Amino acid sequence: MFEEDPVDDLPAATLCHLVDGDDGAAGDGQPDGDDGAAGDGQPDGDDGAAGDETLLIHKKRGVGSDQWVGPGGKVEPGETVRECVVREVREEVGIDVLDPEKVGVFVYRSDDWDAVVHVFRATEYAGTPEETEEADPRWFPVDDLPLDEMWQTDREWLPHVLDGETFRGRFVYSDAEPQEVRIETGVAPSL
Ligand SMILES: Nc1ncnc2c1[nH]c(=O)n2[C@H]1C[C@H](O)[C@@H](COP(=O)(O)OP(=O)(O)OP(=O)(O)O)O1
């Protein structure tokens, strides 16, 4: 999968996909949103009809800005990828993810930025997502994601991650369009 990539030399980055189940608990003692609509800053889930929701951010700056993405960012020197994802989620939306589990990894090559991106899934968190300088958070039903406003390749792997599957991928972009896309699901997300 990554034979042609200098994976040891590429910068590392993280993404977090937080999934809230249908028990209304949200893991933090916070009440759920009461109007059934995504976008109230709280996960829905009281009736289970809409199924799980996931937290995305409308990214205000940096790689992937103006798109809906998972919170995350670049790994800092001396930091583990797990420490990075916890820090980035806190910085971008003001919550602490409590159980991040690495479920995927992909190599991203583009005209101006290459990276190994480590993808985490989490279900427990503390706090309430808030807008920051970097991000505007919103809960979306997992079966109604804003796919037209996401990375094209997110459309390929995110449903698997939200479903609890693992994956590895390699995505080559040029002029913001994917030129090469490889994905394997159900494999260990090592690297
Ligand atoms: N192809 C693709 N799909 C989905 N997400 C990403 C990619 N390529 C990527 O690089 N990314 C993600 C991985 C990271 O979460 C971000 C890039 O980091 P960025 O947000 O720019 O880093 P920060 O550390 O938060 O920002 P600065 O401090 O450098 O401004 O994109």
Side-chain angles (χ1 to χ4, degrees), residues 62-159:
V63 180
S65 59
D66 282 332
Q67 298 190 97
W68 289 101
V69 297
K74 300 181 185 82
V75 178
E76 293 184 347
E79 192 176 50
T80 66
V81 291
R82 192 177 191 281
E83 288 166 345
C84 170
V85 80
V86 171
R87 174 184 56 76
E88 287 284 353
V89 175
R90 187 183 301 134
E91 287 177 3
E92 292 188 342
V93 297
I95 62 173
D96 287 314
V97 285
L98 305 177
D99 63 344
E101 178 191 4
K102 185 169 158 180
V103 292
V105 65
F106 64 87
V107 165
Y108 172 66
R109 310 296 301 262
S110 72
D111 304 321
D112 46 15
W113 155 252
D114 297 332
V116 176
V117 180
H118 303 263
V119 180
F120 288 79
R121 185 176 189 275
T123 58
E124 298 289 330
Y125 65 97
T128 302
E130 291 177 349
E131 185 173 357
T132 65
E133 287 181 357
E134 296 182 63
D136 188 7
R138 187 180 300 179
W139 292 99
F140 288 91
V142 297
D143 56 0
D144 191 18
L145 301 172
L147 297 175
D148 290 345
E149 299 171 71
M150 300 179 75
W151 290 92
Q152 284 191 46
T153 43
D154 279 20
R155 303 173 198 175
E156 307 290 331
W157 58 263
L158 184 52

Side-chain angles (χ1 to χ4, degrees), residues 9-72:
D9 297 328
L10 295 179
T14 59
L15 284 170
C16 185
H17 286 283
L18 182 59
V19 180
D20 185 65
D22 60 5
D23 60 358
D28 65 348
Q30 301 284 341
D32 288 349
D34 58 3
D35 62 2
D40 59 5
Q42 299 287 344
D44 296 332
D46 290 331
D47 60 9
D52 294 349
E53 295 194 334
T54 190
L55 188 74
L56 299 177
I57 60 168
H58 197 251
K59 201 167 171 184
K60 298 183 183 181
R61 66 182 192 210
V63 180
S65 59
D66 282 332
Q67 298 190 97
W68 289 101
V69 297

